[in-house]
Amino acid sequence: MPSHDTSPVLDVAVIGAGPTGLTLAVDLARRGVRVLLAERGTDLFAGSRGKGIQSRTLEVLDDLGLASRFLAAGGPYPPNLRWAGGTPGDEFRMVEESAATEAEPYGGSLMLPQWRTARLLRERLVELGGEVSYGHELTGLEQDADGVSLRFAGRTGTVRARYVVGADGARGAVRRLLGIGMTGGTVDPRPMLVADVRLAEGALPRTHWHVFPGADDSGAFAALCPLAGTEDFQFMTAFPEGTTVETGPEAVRATIAARTHLAPGQVTAVAWSSAFTARAALADRFQDGRVFLAGDAAHVHSPAGGQGLNTSIQDAYNLGWKLGAVLAGAPEALLATYEEERRAVAAGMLDLSTRVHRGETRRGKETRQLGLNYRFSTLSEHTLPEDAPLHAGDRAPDGPAGMERLFDIYRGPHWTYLAVGLGRTPDEVALPLVTGLPEHVRTHAVSAYAPYGRGLYLIRPDGYIAWAGTGEGLDPVGAVRWLERHLGAAAHAEPVVPRA
């Protein structure tokens, strides 16, 4: 960047205001980070596309102060109903049900159209003092040792930021400008049509996700799913390989009429439609210097199993606390763990969504994403016995914590130092020592609790265990050494005062 450039320097510029970019902007805003959230369009995405919110994502939203709003706006997946010749047949479930437990308070998947997910996230961002900057189409990106200069179409000068995150989708500008390739291929060569439609009253009951099997192997199946919290249905169907799919309203009506028992006139509105071919691809790198890729810009999934949007939101959640820590003085090496942790997870989720698409596995425990872990990460230090129920790198479960829940204790941008079952009896609560612990680490103790076993746990701001120890003498020295090794100067920085 030329030395005469006097552009104000932002902390982070996030390119793309989909669920990934919005989640990251929310997480950074609550940390007091100066963020530009740049969106090329004039408003947020208008379609239902990624309509499944998985259990782990609901936990992320809980931490961001949004879970109750999502639960109120959405609803559970209904059972499927198979039709033939206009006659309803057998009922089945495409999505396995799962009950909530103490350790896993969000038991099953929540259905919510993607457009509403984005608007709830934007609502939270505005509450935290942030905003979406519309009409910002990225055309240029140059980085140096101190930051990144961005150019936007139709705007003079440059925008300067210390870090940039490309959350602008699979065809976005950031990855293209960086020259980062994406490796993968087609999951299913049949083109797909997806549309949000309104049906005449009584045309189909909203109690079921309606499935219309094709009469042959041409790919002519169709499905109409009532979108929770709306009056719309999501229509999806496949076409034979090589078909050019028309997406206009009349074409959508004609396709529904051809593949179900409904008449064209019973489709009273077509709010949004899109054609696509299911692909699975992974960016060759998630980081290039001061620029990062997240969400669809980093990995592209088949929609089967509802993994794309959820993996993307968790990308943002992983990167947010690390950017906040580095901006507070942590070594930049901490940012390298974003790619280390998330690229491996994304690769696993791509494999899972592909297997679901091909009918090789069901939507169930794996797709809820509660079992994902970072045990392999350089940030995970485990000193408990190997047969301990929890390891460093694992998700920290919920559970009782006196008059509160553990998730209440963890909620916010802070770290948590937790003692579990270290009293002289199983019911006694023994508080850990706080000598040497930074102010931004909150301490808490609970009596014996099976999902944790017995020990001391240093819990990251994103709800995963960084360090796990035996708790001999309740001494925090192991946790303090971890913080000083990985956070450097930020280990003893002033605590972030979270915005409400």
Side-chain angles (χ1 to χ4, degrees):
M1 175 183 167
S3 60
H4 64 269
D5 192 317
T6 58
S7 304
V9 179
L10 297 161
D11 291 326
V12 180
V14 180
I15 311 301
T20 311
L22 285 160
T23 300
L24 181 57
V26 167
D27 196 19
L28 293 173
R30 69 174 179 163
R31 299 171 187 278
V33 174
R34 296 167 299 167
V35 182
L36 168 69
L37 178 55
E39 168 56 44
R40 65 178 294 179
T42 58
D43 201 350
L44 301 180
F45 177 71
S48 65
R49 187 175 288 153
K51 66 181 183 295
I53 308 294
Q54 303 294 350
S55 303
R56 178 56 188 158
T57 302
L58 283 168
E59 294 181 353
V60 172
L61 295 168
D62 182 308
D63 182 55
L64 297 177
L66 280 166
S68 60
R69 299 184 207 183
F70 272 70
L71 292 171
Y77 275 75
N80 299 85
L81 183 63
R82 201 185 321 267
W83 289 77
T87 302
D90 62 306
E91 183 180 291
F92 64 99
R93 281 199 174 271
M94 194 178 297
V95 179
E96 290 182 4
E97 293 182 292
S98 180
T101 66
E102 276 197 330
E104 300 175 353
Y106 302 105
S109 301
L110 178 77
M111 184 195 295
L112 192 69
Q114 184 172 320
W115 64 263
R116 181 154 286 177
T117 289
R119 281 153 181 77
L120 288 173
L121 286 164
R122 180 178 62 182
E123 179 183 283
R124 181 66 175 134
L125 178 62
V126 171
E127 290 173 357
L128 293 167
E131 63 179 2
V132 180
S133 295
Y134 298 103
H136 279 64
E137 181 181 356
L138 183 70
T139 58
L141 179 156
E142 297 175 3
Q143 59 178 313
D144 54 41
D146 300 315
V148 188
S149 295
L150 303 171
R151 294 188 300 277
F152 295 95
R155 300 175 186 273
T156 59
T158 60
V159 173
R160 184 76 170 161
R162 290 182 63 183
Y163 298 98
V164 171
V165 180
D168 50 348
R171 297 183 179 89
V174 176
R175 186 173 59 83
R176 174 173 50 80
L177 291 168
L178 292 173
I180 295 177
M182 191 171 256
T183 302
T186 301
V187 173
D188 186 337
R190 298 176 301 168
M192 306 282 293
L193 170 66
V194 59
D196 295 346
V197 302
R198 187 75 54 87
L199 301 181
E201 186 175 356
L204 281 178
R206 297 186 62 84
T207 53
H208 289 82
W209 182 347
H210 305 276
V211 178
F212 304 86
D216 52 35
D217 295 329
S218 66
F221 87 93
L224 279 160
C225 179
L227 291 168
T230 78
E231 296 180 6
D232 297 337
F233 284 76
Q234 184 189 74
F235 174 67
M236 184 173 286
T237 191
F239 294 83
E241 184 177 353
T243 302
T244 299
V245 179
E246 300 293 334
T247 59
E250 292 310 313
V252 172
R253 286 187 173 92
T255 301
I256 292 175
R259 300 191 174 197
T260 75
H261 60 272
L262 302 179
Q266 290 180 284
V267 183
T268 59
V270 179
W272 167 81
S273 59
S274 179
F276 68 95
T277 300
R279 298 180 63 244
L282 186 67
D284 298 337
R285 304 192 309 280
F286 281 18
Q287 179 182 4
D288 186 317
R290 291 178 168 269
V291 186
F292 302 84
L293 300 177
D296 287 353
H299 41 81
V300 178
H301 303 246
S302 158
Q307 301 304 291
L309 179 143
N310 293 274
T311 303
S312 299
I313 285 177
Q314 290 170 60
D315 286 347
Y317 194 53
N318 182 285
L319 184 56
W321 74 264
K322 294 172 182 177
L323 284 168
V326 170
L327 289 165
E332 290 207 345
L334 179 65
L335 296 174
T337 66
Y338 166 68
E339 177 176 317
E340 177 193 1
E341 293 182 344
R342 293 306 300 169
R343 193 170 185 275
V345 166
M349 292 299 97
L350 283 170
D351 176 69
L352 175 60
S353 59
T354 298
R355 286 187 285 115
V356 171
H357 186 108
R358 293 173 175 167
E360 297 168 2
T361 190
R362 290 197 65 193
R363 297 163 174 85
K365 185 174 182 180
E366 280 188 280
T367 58
R368 293 166 60 212
Q369 298 199 359
L370 293 173
L372 297 179
N373 68 76
Y374 302 131
R375 291 188 181 190
F376 57 88
S377 172
T378 54
L379 294 182
S380 300
E381 184 178 342
H382 187 76
T383 64
L384 287 171
E386 283 303 307
D387 61 354
L390 277 186
H391 280 229
D394 288 350
R395 159 191 166 274
D398 194 13
M403 300 297 291
E404 299 180 284
R405 307 288 303 171
L406 286 173
F407 277 7
D408 297 328
I409 306 300
Y410 303 154
R411 190 177 299 114
H414 58 274
W415 294 71
T416 305
Y417 185 57
L418 180 71
V420 182
L422 298 182
R424 289 166 296 182
T425 67
D427 295 328
E428 183 183 38
V429 174
L431 291 171
L433 299 176
V434 297
T435 306
L437 279 174
E439 290 184 40
H440 61 79
V441 179
R442 298 185 183 178
T443 58
H444 198 78
V446 295
S447 57
Y449 180 45
Y452 280 79
R454 179 183 184 275
L456 288 172
Y457 302 93
L458 178 65
I459 298 166
R460 301 172 7 170
D462 61 353
Y464 288 88
I465 297 167
W467 175 88
T470 59
E472 294 300 328
L474 300 175
D475 194 333
V477 64
V480 172
R481 285 174 180 166
W482 188 101
L483 289 163
E484 291 176 343
R485 182 165 61 255
H486 293 288
L487 300 189
H492 296 281
E494 289 294 316
V496 174
V497 179
R499 297 184 182 181

